[in-house]
Amino acid sequence: MKIAELRNHPFLLLVLKDGESEGYFTPEYMHKAKQQLSDMSLRIASDNLSIIYADQIRKGCEIVLGMSNLGLLDLCDNDTEKAKEILQTQGIVYCFRAGWAKYAKLKEISPSYFEEVSITNYALSVNDTFDIRLMHNAIEKTGNESAMLLNIYKSIASVYCANTILVDNDEDILQFEIQKFLNSAVTLLLIDTDKKKYTNSLYEELISYLTTSDQVDIFDKLETCIENISKQLPVAARNYLDELNLLEFSDLKGLIEQQMDISIFIPDILELPVSVMNELHDDFDGGYDFHADDDEDLAYLLDDK
């Protein structure tokens, strides 16, 4: 890419131009290369763009140039002599296929993410000098991070989700839901239960603990609980969640500091079953909770003998 930046043209075109002027590429080779670029451009335009007009054909040419440039750079690693040899022995279609293979590999990250990446991102005009490899690597990195977030969500939800798991591809929603799962995980540890989902009685126990215990003791225990939950996560997931600040538990800690508003706001940051939420909103008069704590209900109803 250094010569591309200096001479204001894509790497591939400069290699072809230099090779032609040095006699490395014959006129027949250059004619064939131009024809192949043209044919591939028309195919790109017809398969991926709207009804073909002049500007769409031009865009197809730019995509072919970008893909071929990406492939050549990847094959030669910015070595101009090696690039000439690749073009001479393998041909420009070979370079295009190498670039297309890198683009198509995004499907392995996530088919849905691949569909979101417009092929026009790879368009390269004759005066573009930016490193298309950096652009592709950035797209790939974003895709991998998105896939990791989704996988982390599914993994944590499989343990702590108290309701139907609804997978959403919106990263903000996924982060919000993951934080709720993690908040529930550490608060369940706070009340010394091995349960992974709240019942009404466990929820009341949490409120009682948070509102009657010494704050210093709560925060000391909370840090221990956070450490325990963090250790249960795979290293890659833990590091990624740490980058997103999801292991700081800012909302939970801020709410504990307020203390008097805990019972009002804490339901919003926890993963609570529908049954518990219904009881909190008095939707069933008697607090019927879909059998979540039948043992406790029966103990209350039976004679104490």
Side-chain angles (χ1 to χ4, degrees):
M1 283 304 298
K2 292 181 180 179
I3 65 168
E5 293 172 0
L6 289 172
R7 295 169 58 192
N8 201 39
H9 287 293
F11 179 80
L12 172 64
L13 296 184
L14 291 174
V15 172
L16 286 171
K17 183 178 180 180
D18 289 348
E20 183 182 27
S21 64
E22 295 166 1
Y24 194 89
F25 300 129
T26 65
E28 291 77 16
Y29 175 88
M30 293 300 296
H31 175 76
K32 181 180 178 181
K34 291 175 183 178
Q35 187 61 51
Q36 288 174 329
L37 285 171
S38 177
D39 291 344
M40 288 188 293
S41 299
L42 289 172
R43 176 62 63 86
I44 286 289
S46 63
D47 288 351
N48 296 278
L49 305 173
S50 60
I51 298 174
I52 300 178
Y53 293 105
D55 61 327
Q56 295 298 299
I57 294 176
R58 183 178 66 254
K59 182 61 69 175
C61 293
E62 292 175 350
I63 293 170
V64 167
L65 176 58
M67 289 291 183
S68 302
N69 199 59
L70 174 64
L72 180 60
L73 282 165
D74 190 58
L75 291 167
C76 76
D77 195 24
N78 208 32
D79 184 325
T80 54
E81 294 305 314
K82 187 176 180 180
K84 292 175 188 176
E85 180 183 349
I86 290 170
L87 286 170
Q88 175 77 320
T89 58
Q90 302 296 333
I92 201 162
V93 176
Y94 180 77
C95 298
F96 174 83
R97 288 173 177 166
W100 187 269
K102 291 183 71 65
Y103 165 68
K105 198 173 181 180
L106 295 174
K107 288 182 181 178
E108 297 178 10
I109 298 174
S110 166
S112 59
Y113 178 72
F114 174 74
E115 292 175 1
E116 293 175 5
V117 178
S118 173
I119 194 173
T120 57
N121 287 323
Y122 291 82
L124 197 65
S125 73
V126 294
N127 293 318
D128 283 333
T129 60
F130 74 92
D131 193 336
I132 198 168
R133 288 179 303 175
L134 293 179
M135 185 276 294
H136 174 78
N137 290 342
I139 290 175
E140 191 174 40
K141 181 175 183 290
T142 299
N144 284 322
E145 289 177 349
S146 179
M148 179 178 286
L149 183 66
L150 184 59
N151 289 332
I152 291 172
Y153 168 84
K154 290 179 179 178
S155 176
I156 297 177
S158 67
V159 179
Y160 294 101
C161 186
N163 304 294
T164 303
I165 297 177
L166 299 176
V167 179
D168 195 303
N169 290 321
D170 187 299
E171 293 190 7
D172 290 336
I173 293 176
L174 290 176
Q175 290 185 38
F176 175 76
E177 292 297 324
I178 289 172
Q179 187 70 80
K180 287 177 63 177
F181 295 147
L182 292 172
N183 287 342
S184 294
V186 296
T187 51
L188 284 165
L189 287 181
L190 269 179
I191 56 175
D192 301 313
T193 179
D194 58 357
K195 302 293 184 183
K196 304 303 180 185
K197 299 172 181 63
Y198 273 101
T199 62
N200 186 264
S201 59
L202 288 175
Y203 175 76
E204 293 298 333
E205 186 177 342
L206 173 68
I207 297 301
S208 176
Y209 172 75
L210 293 179
T211 55
T212 61
S213 302
D214 181 76
Q215 269 200 12
V216 175
D217 293 337
I218 293 175
F219 277 106
D220 286 344
K221 189 173 183 181
L222 179 63
E223 291 302 325
T224 300
C225 294
I226 291 173
E227 184 177 351
N228 289 338
I229 289 295
S230 298
K231 286 180 179 178
Q232 296 175 27
L233 298 168
V235 175
R238 182 167 67 244
N239 292 339
Y240 185 55
L241 291 175
D242 197 37
E243 288 179 12
L244 297 176
N245 299 320
L246 293 182
L247 296 179
E248 292 185 2
F249 296 89
S250 301
D251 291 340
L252 178 60
K253 291 177 180 178
L255 197 53
I256 293 173
E257 287 179 350
Q258 296 182 54
Q259 206 157 28
M260 64 179 181
D261 294 328
I262 286 178
S263 60
I264 298 174
F265 297 110
I266 203 166
D268 296 332
I269 66 170
L270 296 179
E271 170 68 4
L272 297 176
V274 172
S275 56
V276 175
M277 293 300 295
N278 285 335
E279 289 185 3
L280 291 177
H281 292 91
D282 295 324
D283 290 343
F284 289 95
D285 291 334
Y288 182 58
D289 57 6
F290 300 99
H291 310 292
D293 54 9
D294 278 357
D295 290 339
E296 296 175 16
D297 292 339
L298 289 171
Y300 175 79
L301 292 171
L302 293 173
D303 292 335
D304 185 16
K305 293 182 181 179

